[in-house]
C-alpha cells in the first residue's frame, strides 16, 4: 500500500517533466516529418516558463481560477493512476478538469472563446463514451474496473481487445488535440477560430493549462500502456509506435468539422467497441 | 407515539390545507404553512430516528381507515369524473370510468375481507422518502410563500389565489407521506390518485390557456397510470390473495405466476407514467408552465419520485425475470434520449425537466439491474437528485422573477446581476455533474453495477456524456460577466426565497460529503433486507467493492483544497489586469462591454450555444423515441406472456 | 538559478509572434510567412505564429498603418500582456514607404505604438526578418536588464 502511494507520488512529480519531454519530442519529430529542423526538445518547458512570467490579463477571474482546478484534477488523475485505482473514477475526475476549462472559456464573452468552448464540449461528447467503453472492455476481461486487476491479470490485453486499442487511439487523438480532431484548439499554433477554447486564457493561466495537458498526455499514454501491462519493453514499443502513428496522422490530415468528428470518431468508435465487446462476450 | 408521528405526517398537512382555505389573513396563512413545514420536518426526523416499523392503524379521526380510503377513492374518482364532464373530454371520461368500474369490482366483489396485515409499513426506503418529502418539501413551501407573493404582483391579480395554491401543496405533502408509508396497494393507489389531482390543480393554477391544456395532458397521462394501477390491484389480488406489499415482497423472484408478473408490469407502468418516462415525457415538460414551487416540489423532487419509489420498492419481486432486464433497458434509454433532448433546449426549466426525467430513468435502470449495488445506487440517487434538482428549480424560479426570462441565453453574465443566486445555481449544476458529489457517485455506481450488460453501459455512457454538454455550458455562461470595478452590491432577495435556496445548496454539498454515511445508514439497511451481502465497504471513507472503488473524503479534500486555492489566487488579481475579450482588435475602449466597432457603428458581439436542434431537437427526436419506447413497453408486456 | 532566471531564459527562447497587416500590399506578409516554411524554419528558435495577442510576445507589423486600422493596431498592442516587443517590417512599416504622402496613410508603425526593431526592405527578405527577430530578443534582454 505504501509502496503504491510512493510510486504514485513519484509519478505525479515526474509526469509534467515526462509529458513536457514527450511534447518536445512530438514537435521535433513533426518538424522532421515536414523537412524542417524544429525546436529543441526542451522547447515546451521554455514556453511554459515564459508564460509563467507574463503579466496577468484576464476578462474575469474565471480565466485565472479554472486553469488551477484543471491542473489539480489532471494531476489527481495521474496520482490515482499511480495508485492503480478505479478507472471509471479516474475518468470522472478527468471530467472535472475538462468542465472547468470549458467554464473558464465560456465565462469570457469573446465569440472565439464561446465557439471554442462549444466545440470542446462536442469533443468531450465524442471521446467520453469511447473511454468508458474501453474501461468496460477491460472489466469484461479482468473482472473489475481497478487498474490493479489489469496488472494482476497477468496477460496482455491487446490480443483480446485490439479494436478497443484503436478506439483508445481516437481518444488519444482528440485529447492530444491533433488533426483531424483538433477542433476546439490545436496543440500547434494552427488557428481557425484564433485559439478556440484557449483564446482568452493567457500568461500564467495558459502555462498551467499546458502543464495540465502534459499530465493528460501521461495519463492517456498510461491507459494505452495497460494494453500490454506485462512487459516494459512491450509498453515502450507499443507507446512509441502509437505516438508515431498519431504524429503521422496529424501531419497527413487536415482539421475536420465537429459533425465529421461525431460521425467518424464517435460513430466509428462505437461500432468498433460494440464489435470487440460482442467478440469478448463470446469468449467469456 | 408512532401513531401520532404518522398522523402528523399524513393527516396534519391535510387539516392545515383545509384550514388555509378558511383563513382570510395573509399573515396567519403564512404562519400555518411555515408551522406545518417545520412540524413535518421535525416529525420526519423523529420517525427516521425510530427506525423501521409496521402497524395497522385502527381508526383515523374516529373512522375505520380502510373504509375511509375506499370512500375517499370513489369520491376522488367522482371529482375527476366531474372535471372530465366539465371539460367535455371523452378521453378523461373513459379513463375515469376505466378506473371506477374495475375499482368497484375490486372493492365490492373481489376483496372478501379487509387485508389482515399491517397497512402502514416503513423501512428505510419509505423513511428516506418521508425525509425528502418533509424536509425538501417544506423548504419549497416556505420558498413558495415569497415566490407566490411576487408572482401574484407580477400578474396583477386582484384577489390572491394563494390559499388554493398552498391548499394543494400541503395536501400533496400529506398524500406523499401517506403513499410511501402505505403497505396496502389499495392505500398506495388512493394517495397516488391524490397526487395526480394535486398535480392537475397546480399545473393549471395560473388559468392560462396553455396551463389548462397542459394540466389536462398531465391528468390523462397520470390517469393511464391510474387505470394500470387498478388493474394491477385486481391482478395482484387474484394472483396472491393479498394486496399488501410486504406479502408480495416476502416471496421475491422469478417463479412468479403470470398474473403476478402482469401485475408487476402494470404497477411499473403506473410508475413510468408518474415518473414521466418515455413516451409520457410531454406532461412533465408541459408542467413547467406552473409556478416554480410546483415544478420544484411535484415535478422534480417528490411526486415523480413516487413513481420510481414504487418501481424500486417492487424490484425484489421481479428480480431475475426478463421484465427486470427490460425495465433496466427502458430506464437507460429514457436517460439517453432525454439527455439528448436537453442539449437542444435553451429554456432553463425544460432543461431541468428533461434532466429530471433522465435521472429518474437512471433510478429505474438501477431498479431493473436489480443487484445490491444498483439498488443502493438508485436509493442514493433518489436522495441526491431530490436535493440538487430542487435547488436548481428554486434558483431558476428566483432568476426568472428577477430577469423576466427563463431562457439560459438571457442568463449570460448573471453573476454580476444576482451574485448569490448565480453562485448557488452554479454550485447546484456542479453537484449534478461532477465528482465527488452524490449524483456523479451514483452514476458511477450504476455504470459499475451494469457492467454485466455492455449495452446498458453504452447507453448510460452516451447519456452521461450528453449531460456534461448541457450542464457545463449553462454553468459557464452564468459566469460570463466582466471583472467588476468594485465589490458587487449585495443581492436583494426575500428571506423566504433566499433561505431555502441556501439550505439546499449547503445540503447538496454536505450530502455529497456525507455519502458514505448516507450509504451505511440510509441505503444499505434497506438493500440488505432483500439482497444478500453489502454492496460496498465504506469504512475508509471510500466506496470499495470487488469491482471498483470511489474515494470520497480524499477527493473532497484534494479537489476542495485545489478549488479554494484557485479561488484565493483569482481573488487577488488586480483590476488593472482586466482586459476586453478578443475581438480582433476592434473592441471599444470600455473593457466591460463586449462591443466592437462595426462599419456603421458599435455592434454588440453576441454568441449562443450550439443547440444541435437538427440532431437533438424535440421535433426531430420525439416521434421516433416515443415509438421505440412504446415498442419496449409492448415487448415488456409480451415478454411476460 | 532562481525562478526569474529560468523565466528569463524561457522568454528568450520562446518568443511567440502575432502578425498584423496594417494595409500592406502583402509582399512583406508573404516573406514573414516564408520564414515559417521549412526553408527558413524559425520554429527552431521557438518562434510560433500564435496569432492571438493575448498569447504573443512579439508583434510583427507590416504595412503603412492607415486611419482605419490604427485603432486596431493599438488595441492589439494593448491586448498583449508584457513583456512584449514590436517589429516593424518593410519600408511601409518604417515610414510609410512610397505611400507616405497619401491622404489615408498614417505613415509608419511608430506613429501609433512604440517600435523596438525596424526591418527595412521592400519586401524585406526573410533573412532580414530573422535578423530582426534576433535583434528584438536583444532588445528584450536589455529591457529585462540582462544584457
Amino acid at each position: 500500500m505504501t509502496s503504491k502511494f510512493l510510486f504514485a507520488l513519484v509519478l505525479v512529480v515526474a509526469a509534467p517533466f515526462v509529458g513536457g519531454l514527450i511534447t518536445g519530442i512530438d514537435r521535433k519529430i513533426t518538424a522532421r516529418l515536414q523537412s524542417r529542423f524544429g525546436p529543441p526538445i526542451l522547447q515546451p518547458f521554455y514556453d511554459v516558463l515564459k508564460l509563467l512570467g507574463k503579466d496577468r490579463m484576464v476578462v474575469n477571474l474565471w480565466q485565472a481560477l479554472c486553469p488551477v482546478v484543471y491542473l489539480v484534477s489532471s494531476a489527481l488523475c495521474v496520482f490515482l493512476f499511480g495508485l492503480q485505482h478505479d478507472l471509471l473514477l479516474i475518468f470522472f475526475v478527468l471530467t472535472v478538469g475538462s468542465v472547468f476549462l470549458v467554464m473558464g472559456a465560456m465565462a469570457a464573452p469573446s465569440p472565439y472563446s464561446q465557439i471554442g468552448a462549444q466545440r470542446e464540449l462536442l469533443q468531450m461528447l465524442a471521446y467520453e463514451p469511447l473511454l468508458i467503453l474501453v474501461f468496460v472492455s477491460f472489466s469484461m476481461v479482468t473482472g473489475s474496473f481497478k487498474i490493479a486487476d489489469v496488472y494482476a491479470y497477468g496477460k496482455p490485453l491487446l490480443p483480446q481487445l485490439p479494436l478497443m486499442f484503436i478506439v483508445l487511439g481516437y481518444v488519444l487523438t482528440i485529447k492530444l488535440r491533433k488533426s483531424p480532431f483538433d477542433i476546439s484548439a490545436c496543440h500547434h499554433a494552427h488557428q481557425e477560430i484564433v485559439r478556440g477554447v484557449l483564446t482568452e486564457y493567457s500568461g500564467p493561466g495558459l502555462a498551467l493549462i499546458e502543464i495540465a495537458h502534459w499530465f493528460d498526455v501521461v495519463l492517456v499514454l498510461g491507459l494505452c500502456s495497460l494494453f500490454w501491462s506485462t512487459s516494459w519493453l512491450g509498453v515502450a514499443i507499443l507507446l512509441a509506435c502509437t505516438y508515431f502513428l498519431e504524429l503521422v496522422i496529424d501531419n497527413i490530415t487536415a482539421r475536420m468539422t465537429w459533425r465529421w468528428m461525431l460521425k467518424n470518431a464517435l460513430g466509428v468508435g462505437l461500432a468498433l467497441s460494440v464489435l470487440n465487446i460482442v467478440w469478448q462476450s463470446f469468449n467469456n | 407515539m408512532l401513531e401520532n408521528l404518522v398522523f402528523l405526517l399524513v393527516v396534519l398537512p391535510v387539516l392545515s390545507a383545509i384550514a388555509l382555505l378558511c383563513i382570510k389573513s395573509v399573515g396567519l396563512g403564512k404562519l400555518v404553512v411555515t408551522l406545518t413545514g417545520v412540524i413535518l420536518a421535525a416529525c420526519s426526523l423523529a420517525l427516521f430516528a425510530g427506525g423501521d416499523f409496521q402497524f395497522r392503524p385502527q381508526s383515523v379521526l374516529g373512522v375505520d381507515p380502510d373504509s375511509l380510503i375506499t370512500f375517499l377513492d370513489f369520491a376522488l374518482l367522482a371529482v375527476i369524473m366531474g372535471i372530465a364532464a366539465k371539460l367535455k373530454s371523452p378521453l378523461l371520461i373513459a379513463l375515469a370510468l376505466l378506473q371506477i368500474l374495475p375499482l368497484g369490482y375490486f372493492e365490492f366483489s373481489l376483496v372478501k375481507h379487509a387485508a389482515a396485515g399491517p397497512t402502514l409499513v416503513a423501512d428505510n426506503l419509505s423513511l428516506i422518502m418521508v425525509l425528502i418529502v418533509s424536509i425538501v418539501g417544506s423548504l419549497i413551501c416556505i420558498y413558495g410563500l415569497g415566490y407566490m407573493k411576487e408572482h401574484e404582483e407580477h400578474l396583477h391579480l386582484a384577489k390572491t389565489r394563494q390559499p388554493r395554491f398552498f391548499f394543494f401543496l400541503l395536501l400533496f405533502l400529506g398524500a406523499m407521506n401517506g403513499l410511501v408509508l402505505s403497505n396496502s396497494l389499495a392505500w398506495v393507489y388512493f394517495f397516488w390518485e391524490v397526487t395526480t389531482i394535486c398535480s392537475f390543480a397546480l399545473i393549471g393554477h395560473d388559468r392560462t390557456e396553455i396551463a389548462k391544456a397542459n394540466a389536462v395532458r398531465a391528468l390523462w397521462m397520470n390517469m393511464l397510470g391510474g387505470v394500470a394501477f387498478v388493474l394491477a390491484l385486481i391482478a395482484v389480488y387474484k394472483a396472491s390473495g393479498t394486496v399488501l406489499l410486504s406479502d408480495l415482497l416476502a416471496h421475491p423472484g422469478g417463479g412468479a405466476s403470470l398474473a403476478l408478473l402482469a401485475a408487476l408490469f402494470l404497477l411499473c407502468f403506473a410508475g413510468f407514467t408518474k415518473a414521466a418516462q418515455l413516451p409520457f415525457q410531454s406532461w412533465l415538460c408541459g408542467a413547467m408552465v406552473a409556478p416554480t414551487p410546483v415544478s420544484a416540489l411535484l415535478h422534480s423532487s417528490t411526486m415523480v419520485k413516487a413513481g420510481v419509489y414504487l418501481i424500486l420498492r417492487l424490484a425484489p419481486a421481479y428480480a431475475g425475470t426478463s421484465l427486470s432486464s427490460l425495465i433496466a433497458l427502458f430506464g437507460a434509454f429514457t436517460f439517453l434520449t432525454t439527455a439528448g433532448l436537453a442539449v437542444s433546449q435553451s429554456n432553463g426549466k425544460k432543461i431541468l425537466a428533461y434532466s429530471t426525467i433522465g435521472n429518474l430513468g437512471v433510478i429505474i435502470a438501477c431498479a431493473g439491474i436489480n443487484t445490491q449495488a444498483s439498488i443502493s445506487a438508485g436509493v442514493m440517487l433518489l436522495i441526491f437528485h431530490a436535493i440538487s434538482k430542487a435547488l436548481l428549480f428554486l434558483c431558476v424560479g428566483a432568476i426568472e422573477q428577477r430577469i423576466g426570462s427563463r431562457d439560459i441565453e438571457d442568463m449570460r453574465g448573471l453573476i454580476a446581476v444576482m451574485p448569490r443566486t448565480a453562485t448557488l445555481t452554479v454550485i447546484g449544476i456542479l453537484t449534478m455533474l461532477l465528482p465527488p458529489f452524490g449524483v456523479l457517485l451514483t452514476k458511477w455506481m450504476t455504470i459499475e453495477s451494469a457492467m454485466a450488460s455492455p449495452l446498458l453501459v453504452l447507453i448510460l455512457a452516451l447519456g452521461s456524456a450528453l449531460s456534461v454538454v448541457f450542464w457545463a455550458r449553462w454553468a459557464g455562461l452564468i459566469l460570463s460577466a466582466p471583472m467588476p470595478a468594485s465589490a458587487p452590491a449585495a443581492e436583494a432577495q426575500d428571506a423566504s426565497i433566499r433561505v431555502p435556496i441556501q439550505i439546499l445548496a449547503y445540503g447538496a454539498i454536505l450530502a455529497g460529503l456525507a455519502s458514505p454515511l448516507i450509504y451505511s445508514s440510509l441505503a444499505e439497511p434497506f438493500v440488505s433486507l432483500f439482497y444478500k451481502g453489502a454492496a460496498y465497504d465504506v469504512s475508509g471513507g471510500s466506496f470499495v467493492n470487488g469491482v471498483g472503488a470511489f474515494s470520497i473524503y480524499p477527493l473532497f479534500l484534494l479537489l476542495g483544497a485545489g478549488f479554494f486555492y484557485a479561488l484565493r489566487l483569482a481573488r487577488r488579481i488586480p483590476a488593472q489586469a482586466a482586459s476586453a475579450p478578443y475581438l480582433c482588435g476592434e473592441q471599444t475602449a470600455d473593457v466591460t462591454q463586449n462591443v466592437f466597432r462595426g462599419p456603421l457603428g458599435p455592434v454588440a458581439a453576441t454568441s449562443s450555444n450550439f443547440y444541435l436542434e437538427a440532431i437533438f431537437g424535440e421535433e426531430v427526436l420525439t416521434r421516433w423515441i416515443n415509438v421505440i419506447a412504446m415498442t419496449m413497453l409492448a415487448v415488456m408486456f409480451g415478454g411476460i406472456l | 538559478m532562481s525562478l526569474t532566471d529560468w523565466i528569463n531564459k524561457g522568454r528568450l527562447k520562446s518568443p511567440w509572434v502575432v502578425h498584423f497587416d496594417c494595409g500592406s500590399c502583402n509582399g512583406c506578409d508573404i516573406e514573414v510567412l516564408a520564414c515559417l516554411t521549412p526553408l527558413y524554419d524559425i520554429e527552431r528558435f521557438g518562434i510560433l505564429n500564435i496569432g492571438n495577442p493575448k498569447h504573443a510576445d512579439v508583434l510583427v507589423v507590416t504595412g503603412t498603418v492607415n486611419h482605419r486600422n490604427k485603432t486596431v493596431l493599438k488595441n492589439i498592442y494593448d491586448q498583449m500582456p508584457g513583456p512584449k516587443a514590436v517589429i516593424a517590417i518593410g519600408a511601409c512599416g518604417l515610414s510609410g514607404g512610397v505611400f507616405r504622402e497619401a491622404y489615408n496613410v498614417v505613415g509608419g508603425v511608430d506613429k501609433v505604438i512604440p517600435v523596438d526593431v525596424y526591418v527595412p526592405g521592400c519586401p524585406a527578405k526573410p533573412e532580414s526578418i530573422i535578423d530582426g527577430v534576433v535583434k528584438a530578443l536583444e532588445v528584450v534582454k536589455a529591457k529585462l536588464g540582462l544584457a
Side-chain angles (χ1 to χ4, degrees):
Chain A
M1 179 58 217
T2 341
S3 69
K4 266 196 204 167
F5 192 80
L6 283 172
F7 172 72
L9 270 178
V10 168
L11 189 61
V12 166
V13 171
F17 296 100
V18 170
L21 266 175
I22 293 177
T23 310
I25 296 172
D26 176 329
R27 282 171 74 170
K28 193 73 168 175
I29 299 181
T30 303
R32 294 289 169 148
L33 287 173
Q34 295 172 351
S35 313
R36 302 185 286 123
F37 280 103
I41 294 179
L42 295 179
Q43 186 63 39
F45 298 107
Y46 299 135
D47 291 338
V48 164
L49 285 167
K50 174 212 63 179
L51 285 172
L52 284 171
K54 292 283 259 182
D55 295 342
R56 276 263 188 216
M57 185 176 274
V58 291
V59 176
N60 54 42
L61 59 81
W62 301 100
Q63 282 84 48
L65 188 153
C66 294
V68 177
V69 179
Y70 179 27
L71 179 59
V72 167
S73 90
S74 291
L76 189 54
C77 284
V78 171
F79 184 65
L80 289 171
F81 187 88
L83 285 178
Q84 298 186 3
H85 216 288
D86 181 311
L87 281 167
L88 208 52
L89 173 64
I90 293 177
F91 167 80
F92 284 124
V93 176
L94 202 56
T95 63
V96 174
S98 313
V99 165
F100 269 85
L101 183 67
V102 168
M103 274 169 57
M106 291 234 27
S110 101
Y112 305 107
S113 193
Q114 295 285 313
I115 298 181
Q118 303 293 321
R119 290 184 180 185
E120 181 76 14
L121 285 173
L122 291 173
Q123 273 185 206
M124 289 166 70
L125 178 61
Y127 80 70
E128 287 188 352
L130 298 180
L131 203 47
I132 295 185
L133 285 172
V134 169
F135 297 154
V136 169
S137 69
F138 282 7
S139 75
M140 289 179 80
V141 174
T142 66
S144 97
F145 282 92
K146 298 185 200 172
I147 296 176
D149 288 331
V150 172
Y151 288 112
Y153 184 65
K155 287 193 292 190
L157 293 174
L158 189 57
Q160 293 186 59
L161 302 174
L163 298 181
M164 299 315 294
F165 191 74
I166 300 177
V167 170
L168 192 58
Y170 276 112
V171 175
L172 183 61
T173 316
I174 297 176
K175 263 308 211 187
L176 289 177
R177 302 191 187 282
K178 291 201 173 297
S179 304
F181 302 124
D182 54 341
I183 290 170
S184 76
C186 186
H187 97 113
H188 305 295
H190 304 156
Q191 305 134 48
E192 184 198 352
I193 39 173
V194 193
R195 291 288 279 146
V197 71
L198 301 176
T199 306
E200 297 293 337
Y201 291 106
S202 68
L206 193 61
L208 295 181
I209 291 177
E210 185 63 20
I211 300 176
H213 181 75
W214 295 342
F215 275 108
D216 284 348
V217 169
V218 168
L219 179 71
V220 187
L221 288 178
L223 293 176
C224 289
S225 79
L226 290 178
F227 276 87
W228 206 280
S229 51
T230 47
S231 104
W232 284 107
L233 185 63
V235 164
I237 297 176
L238 185 64
L239 291 183
C241 293
T242 308
Y243 208 88
F244 186 71
L245 196 58
E246 288 287 338
L247 291 178
V248 169
I249 292 175
D250 184 30
N251 275 298
I252 62 179
T253 56
R255 175 189 312 207
M256 298 299 286
T257 62
W258 60 261
R259 286 186 178 84
W260 192 91
M261 173 177 65
L262 288 180
K263 273 195 294 222
N264 284 279
L266 188 55
V268 173
L270 286 178
L272 290 174
S273 306
V274 167
L275 205 54
N276 206 154
I277 287 178
V278 166
W279 286 348
Q280 189 54 37
S281 65
F282 288 154
N283 287 348
N284 275 9
Chain B
M1 182 60 207
L2 198 58
E3 308 213 354
N4 293 339
L5 280 177
V6 173
F7 178 85
L8 284 173
L9 282 168
V10 179
V11 184
L12 174 68
V14 179
L15 298 174
S16 305
I18 298 174
L20 274 180
L21 287 179
C22 313
I23 292 176
K24 295 296 173 220
S25 142
V26 167
L28 193 55
K30 279 192 185 171
L31 188 62
V32 168
V33 172
T34 315
L35 259 182
T36 312
V38 169
I39 293 176
L40 278 179
C43 288
S44 67
L45 286 167
L47 195 70
F48 176 70
D52 297 2
F53 67 82
Q54 53 184 24
F55 74 95
R56 186 189 175 77
Q58 295 307 321
S59 83
V60 170
L61 298 175
V63 185
D64 165 45
D66 282 307
S67 326
L68 179 64
I69 290 201
T70 311
F71 168 70
L72 286 173
D73 252 332
F74 283 103
L76 193 58
L77 285 169
V79 167
I80 294 180
M81 184 61 103
I83 296 172
K86 199 168 79 156
L87 290 169
K88 298 193 177 59
S89 159
L91 176 62
L92 288 177
I93 294 176
L95 287 172
L97 277 174
L98 276 174
Q99 289 186 58
I100 294 178
L101 296 174
L103 188 63
Y105 168 65
F106 174 73
E107 291 285 0
F108 300 120
S109 314
L110 200 55
V111 175
K112 299 297 179 240
H113 52 80
T119 42
L120 290 178
V121 168
D123 55 16
N124 265 42
L125 181 60
S126 314
L127 292 173
I128 290 170
M129 287 294 296
V130 169
L131 282 172
I132 294 175
V133 168
S134 307
I135 300 179
V136 175
S138 304
L139 283 171
I140 295 175
C141 284
I142 293 173
Y143 170 92
L145 290 171
Y147 181 92
M148 288 310 283
K149 175 163 162 284
E150 168 90 28
H151 185 76
E152 295 197 328
E153 273 171 26
H154 196 71
L155 290 176
H156 308 296
L157 283 188
K159 180 166 173 298
T160 179
R161 299 181 67 232
Q162 285 186 52
R164 174 190 186 275
F165 185 78
F166 287 102
F167 166 77
F168 281 111
L169 272 189
L170 290 179
L171 183 66
F172 168 77
L173 287 181
M176 274 304 295
N177 278 331
L179 198 159
V180 301
L181 288 174
S182 296
N183 189 34
S184 158
L185 276 171
W187 290 30
V188 176
Y189 169 71
F190 166 66
F191 289 118
W192 191 276
E193 288 302 283
V194 174
T195 63
T196 302
I197 202 87
C198 287
S199 177
F200 168 76
L202 285 168
I203 295 175
H205 179 78
D206 282 337
R207 288 187 303 189
T208 61
E209 281 313 306
I210 189 169
K212 287 193 259 195
N214 290 346
V216 168
R217 174 148 16 109
L219 184 60
W220 70 255
M221 284 192 175
N222 277 291
M223 282 174 74
L224 267 178
V227 170
F229 211 121
V230 177
L231 296 175
L233 277 177
I234 297 175
V236 165
Y237 193 77
K238 281 214 154 124
S240 54
T242 171
V243 288
L244 292 182
L245 280 166
S246 48
D247 291 342
L248 265 184
L249 296 172
H251 312 288
S257 65
L258 175 61
L260 191 58
L261 273 178
L264 289 171
F265 167 74
L266 286 168
L267 286 171
C268 287
F269 181 89
F272 295 153
T273 57
K274 184 66 72 177
Q277 300 293 290
L278 302 177
F280 309 111
Q281 78 280 16
S282 54
W283 81 253
L284 190 63
C285 296
M288 293 296 132
V289 300
T292 299
V294 176
S295 309
L297 183 56
L298 273 70
H299 305 132
S300 68
S301 307
T302 42
M303 183 180 102
V304 292
K305 295 267 161 59
V308 294
Y309 158 81
L310 189 63
I311 297 175
L312 268 178
R313 159 101 30 238
L314 294 171
Y318 54 76
T321 63
S322 62
L323 179 65
S324 197
S325 327
L326 287 168
I327 287 177
L329 203 57
F330 182 78
F333 180 70
T334 301
F335 173 54
L336 170 61
T337 50
T338 50
L341 284 165
V343 168
S344 74
Q345 290 300 315
S346 72
N347 178 330
K349 281 180 88 172
K350 260 203 154 155
I351 295 176
L352 295 177
Y354 278 124
S355 163
T356 301
I357 301 172
N359 277 289
L360 294 172
V362 174
I363 300 178
I364 291 175
C366 288
I369 297 169
N370 235 317
T371 63
Q372 60 266 53
S374 78
I375 302 282
S376 315
V379 172
M380 288 174 73
L381 184 53
L382 204 63
I383 303 171
F384 292 121
H385 177 258
I387 305 174
S388 291
K389 205 37 88 53
L391 167 64
L392 283 171
F393 266 110
L394 297 191
C395 286
V396 169
I399 293 171
E400 185 182 4
Q401 283 195 326
R402 180 65 181 274
I403 67 175
S405 161
R406 54 175 71 160
D407 191 314
I408 61 175
E409 294 292 339
D410 296 324
M411 294 183 201
R412 283 179 185 269
L414 193 70
I415 195 146
V417 177
M418 305 171 73
R420 183 183 49 241
T421 310
T423 311
L424 294 177
T425 311
V426 173
I427 289 178
I429 293 174
L430 294 181
T431 58
M432 289 286 311
L433 174 64
L434 293 179
F437 296 112
V439 177
L440 197 297
L441 167 67
T442 56
K443 210 157 279 180
W444 171 86
M445 288 165 91
T446 310
I447 293 182
E448 294 217 341
S449 63
M451 75 184 237
S453 162
L455 174 62
L456 218 54
V457 175
L458 170 62
I459 299 177
L460 289 170
L462 283 169
S464 173
L466 283 167
S467 56
V468 172
V469 175
F470 67 78
W471 285 129
R473 72 184 179 199
W474 191 356
L477 61 81
I478 288 178
L479 301 171
S480 69
M483 211 134 97
S486 55
E491 183 182 339
Q493 200 171 47
D494 197 35
S496 85
I497 294 185
R498 173 171 46 93
V499 172
I501 293 181
Q502 283 173 321
I503 293 179
L504 283 171
Y506 293 130
I509 299 175
L510 284 173
L513 190 57
S515 47
L517 190 61
I518 290 181
Y519 170 75
S520 53
S521 63
L522 290 177
E524 211 255 319
F526 165 69
V527 175
S528 55
L529 285 179
F530 301 106
Y531 301 87
K532 290 189 303 296
Y536 295 98
D537 167 22
V538 290
S539 48
S542 305
F543 286 79
V544 182
N545 71 3
V547 168
F550 195 111
S551 313
I552 297 286
Y553 299 144
L555 276 190
F556 257 100
L557 195 63
L558 293 167
L559 288 173
F563 177 79
F564 282 111
Y565 172 69
L567 196 61
R568 233 190 57 170
L569 189 83
R571 285 231 170 96
R572 284 186 302 176
I573 293 178
Q576 300 91 286
S579 100
Y582 179 64
L583 289 169
C584 296
E586 292 280 17
Q587 77 269 16
T588 52
D590 186 353
V591 303
T592 62
Q593 296 297 314
N594 198 29
V595 170
F596 65 90
R597 305 180 310 137
L600 298 176
V603 180
T606 54
S607 43
S608 110
N609 293 323
F610 282 14
Y611 289 108
L612 308 182
E613 289 105 337
I615 307 174
F616 295 118
E618 278 181 312
E619 307 77 33
V620 173
L621 281 185
T622 306
R623 180 166 308 135
W624 67 262
I625 60 176
N626 283 354
V627 166
I628 294 180
M630 285 193 273
T631 314
M632 284 175 122
L633 287 172
V635 168
M636 253 188 248
F637 183 61
I640 298 170
L641 300 171
Chain C
M1 281 175 73
S2 71
L3 183 61
T4 325
D5 293 329
W6 281 108
I7 290 179
N8 284 335
K9 188 159 191 209
R11 283 174 178 151
L12 295 173
K13 289 215 162 232
S14 160
W16 287 357
V17 160
V18 59
H19 161 221
F20 186 47
D21 172 356
C22 263
S24 158
C25 69
N26 291 345
C28 290
D29 302 312
I30 294 173
E31 302 305 323
V32 166
L33 294 176
C35 293
L36 298 168
T37 60
L39 191 59
Y40 296 99
D41 189 22
I42 50 173
E43 199 187 348
R44 286 176 289 159
F45 309 118
I47 301 173
L48 288 178
N49 183 17
I50 204 82
N52 180 359
K54 296 197 177 190
H55 295 181
D57 311 289
V58 177
L59 176 59
V60 169
V61 192
T62 60
T64 57
V65 185
N66 57 47
H67 293 284
R68 174 65 174 134
N69 59 33
K70 66 184 180 195
T71 334
V72 180
L73 181 61
K74 185 85 176 59
N75 278 339
I76 290 183
Y77 178 73
D78 289 337
Q79 279 196 325
M80 289 168 67
K84 54 192 172 184
V86 179
I87 305 178
I89 308 261
C92 294
L94 269 50
S95 60
V98 299
F99 306 106
R100 191 178 58 240
E101 314 268 303
Y103 70 94
N104 58 328
V105 160
V106 171
V109 179
D110 55 8
K111 297 204 166 54
V112 182
I113 53 178
V115 175
D116 299 294
V117 175
Y118 299 86
V119 178
C122 184
K125 293 187 339 200
E127 291 89 344
S128 311
I129 296 173
I130 296 177
D131 270 347
V133 177
V134 171
K135 197 120 196 263
L137 290 176
E138 301 286 319
V139 170
V140 168
K141 241 181 166 173
K143 277 189 198 173
L144 296 173
L146 296 174

